[in-house]
Amino acid sequence: MNPTKLCQSLALVFMISSPLVGIEAHASQSEAKFVQSVNKALPELEKLYLHLHQNPELSYQEKATGERMAKELSALGFEVTDNYGGYGVVGIFKNGDGPTVMIRADTDGLPIIEQTGKPYASTVITTDGDNNTVGIMHGCGHDIHMTSLIGTAAQLVEHKSQWQGTLMMVAQPAEEVGGGAKAMLAQGLFTEFPTPDHVLGLHVSASVPAGKVAIAPGYALANVDSVDITVKGKGGHGAYPHTTIDPVVLAARTVMALQTIPSREISPLEPNVITVGSIHGGSKHNIISNEVKLQLTLRSYNPEVRELQIAAIKRMTKGIAVSAGVPESLMPVVYVHEDETIPSTYNDPSLATSVQSSIEREIGQSNVVKAEPVMAGEDFGLYGRTSEKRPITIFWLGAVEPKLYEASMAKGETLPSLHSSKFAPDYPLTISTGVRAMSRSAMDLFNSK
């Protein structure tokens, strides 16, 4: 997930039941065979995971990752289109008449130097788009997502006699910068390929134990906007502030005033956040600068609230400038990064309920917990906002080693979050659960009337 989306602060609110116990007791004989099939596939899936983990690529640079995903899907018999919407991959597997189910995984890594201490830790160093030398790691679990996608594809192909329809597998690039879903949809994802009847996704959670799944019907993730504000003034000597218009003071007033938008201008029944994540201005102790730059992240669920936030920011920044005597030529500039804007993710309630029921049957009701909406963002939500209005659902896949989770709860300690250099999922159990949960969900959707 996008660093500007504060994915690292992700915290699900849920009730955790007893640890993973006797999952296979929930399965019928045929379901037990399916579990055996997944277990048999795990060694190769773990090898794939380790390869992806050790070879991460940044957003818009996922060339080798896309090639590997295309190779894996081709080997399973999918009709594969690569380099779609950048380095995206689309795999189509037609299996008779029936609905089209799309399953999506994101593929990009993050500019983080891994510090997990694991023997398989990423050591990749590269140059980013701004010509900075950075490390790369899959600090948001996209390696798990891709491995689960391939594992699910393999299981559905192996058990194709148990369902009918069209399986559409999408390996999407550039999620971390909010560009991948836009690019694939703009190129014609829902028109050049079968338009899906259902769209599914999963995302690892750093606050749910491995072996469990959490799901939130309705709003699951937030609208996200990145906003830059340039506060302008008239610089001068710090000893003679009366001869200047100090943009640092104006910026300070602006930061405090912005906090009244969520607290006083928008209904308390409408969740929303305005955070000033960066403030820069000036060069020396005794110099009053000509401008100060602010960087903000905005969060909400309701699209109307997003518009209220932006309008209020523009009005307030201008009002503060006018009150300080700033001339019209030096009015503050508010710039909304529309290319990075991500809409909220709304899990279709009917589809989410169906998916939840499928996962409960597969891994046991006690291993499926309720998740509350979070203010992190995900461009997965875009797949449900096209003119086709396809129902979508994304669920959280627990990734924390269960004993580590229990110990942290007992001690009140905080675990490494997503986007942390120390985030290390319990990958064997996480992958197994992801494949089983997603495969069962898709199979039941194919067989639904």
Side-chain angles (χ1 to χ4, degrees), residues 112-118 137 416-417 419-425:
I112 302 173
I113 296 175
E114 182 167 352
Q115 296 178 317
T116 60
K118 299 293 185 181
M137 74 172 288
S417 67
H419 287 218
S420 165
S421 62
K422 297 184 179 180
F423 174 64

Side-chain angles (χ1 to χ4, degrees), residues 62-137:
E62 315 93 331
K63 184 176 186 295
T65 302
E67 290 174 350
R68 180 60 184 262
M69 296 301 285
K71 178 182 177 182
E72 294 287 340
L73 290 171
S74 294
L76 292 170
F78 282 75
E79 299 174 15
V80 174
T81 302
D82 58 3
N83 297 324
Y84 200 85
Y87 291 117
V89 178
V90 181
I92 302 294
F93 188 88
K94 296 180 179 179
N95 189 34
D97 296 330
T100 296
V101 176
M102 171 181 150
I103 302 175
R104 171 270 203 177
D106 34 15
T107 64
D108 48 336
L110 288 162
I112 302 173
I113 296 175
E114 182 167 352
Q115 296 178 317
T116 60
K118 299 293 185 181
Y120 54 83
S122 168
T123 58
V124 176
I125 303 293
T126 192
T127 302
D128 66 12
D130 295 322
N131 207 33
N132 298 312
T133 300
V134 296
I136 319 178
M137 74 172 288

Side-chain angles (χ1 to χ4, degrees), residues 110-266:
L110 288 162
I112 302 173
I113 296 175
E114 182 167 352
Q115 296 178 317
T116 60
K118 299 293 185 181
Y120 54 83
S122 168
T123 58
V124 176
I125 303 293
T126 192
T127 302
D128 66 12
D130 295 322
N131 207 33
N132 298 312
T133 300
V134 296
I136 319 178
M137 74 172 288
H138 274 298
C140 204
H142 295 186
D143 44 0
I144 292 283
H145 304 174
M146 290 185 280
T147 305
S148 296
L149 184 84
I150 297 302
T152 297
Q155 291 304 315
L156 290 172
V157 169
E158 181 173 344
H159 298 278
K160 63 183 180 180
S161 63
Q162 299 178 30
W163 60 273
Q164 286 187 316
T166 299
L167 177 60
M168 180 177 179
M169 295 305 227
V170 174
Q172 178 214 300
E175 185 277 331
E176 297 291 356
V177 294
K182 292 176 185 176
M184 296 191 84
L185 289 167
Q187 190 166 337
L189 183 66
F190 284 2
T191 54
E192 293 186 7
F193 303 98
T195 303
D197 296 290
H198 313 283
V199 181
L200 303 180
L202 58 76
H203 200 295
V204 297
S205 169
S207 53
V208 177
K212 291 183 182 289
V213 164
I215 190 165
Y219 283 116
L221 296 117
N223 295 313
V224 178
D225 281 286
S226 296
V227 177
D228 294 342
I229 302 175
T230 302
V231 178
K232 299 182 180 182
K234 291 183 178 180
H237 200 298
Y240 313 112
H242 59 289
T243 66
T244 72
I245 300 177
D246 191 341
V248 173
V249 173
L250 296 182
R253 288 176 59 189
T254 300
V255 170
M256 298 308 297
L258 293 177
Q259 305 312 309
T260 66
I261 298 174
S263 66
R264 290 297 180 269
E265 297 210 16
I266 296 174

Side-chain angles (χ1 to χ4, degrees), residues 272-339:
N272 73 107
V273 173
I274 295 180
T275 294
V276 180
S278 173
I279 178 168
H280 290 279
S283 60
K284 197 173 186 296
H285 306 74
N286 62 348
I287 298 175
I288 293 175
S289 64
N290 288 316
E291 65 178 32
V292 173
K293 294 183 178 294
L294 308 176
Q295 293 181 314
L296 287 66
T297 185
L298 314 185
R299 310 296 168 115
S300 62
Y301 297 127
N302 188 336
E304 294 180 2
V305 170
R306 172 186 179 267
E307 296 299 327
L308 288 172
Q309 288 177 321
I310 294 171
I313 288 170
K314 292 179 178 178
R315 188 192 75 245
M316 281 188 174
T317 53
K318 182 175 181 178
I320 291 170
V322 170
S323 72
V326 175
E328 186 66 30
S329 61
L330 294 177
M331 282 294 114
V333 177
V334 177
Y335 178 74
V336 180
H337 291 263
E338 298 289 353
D339 58 329

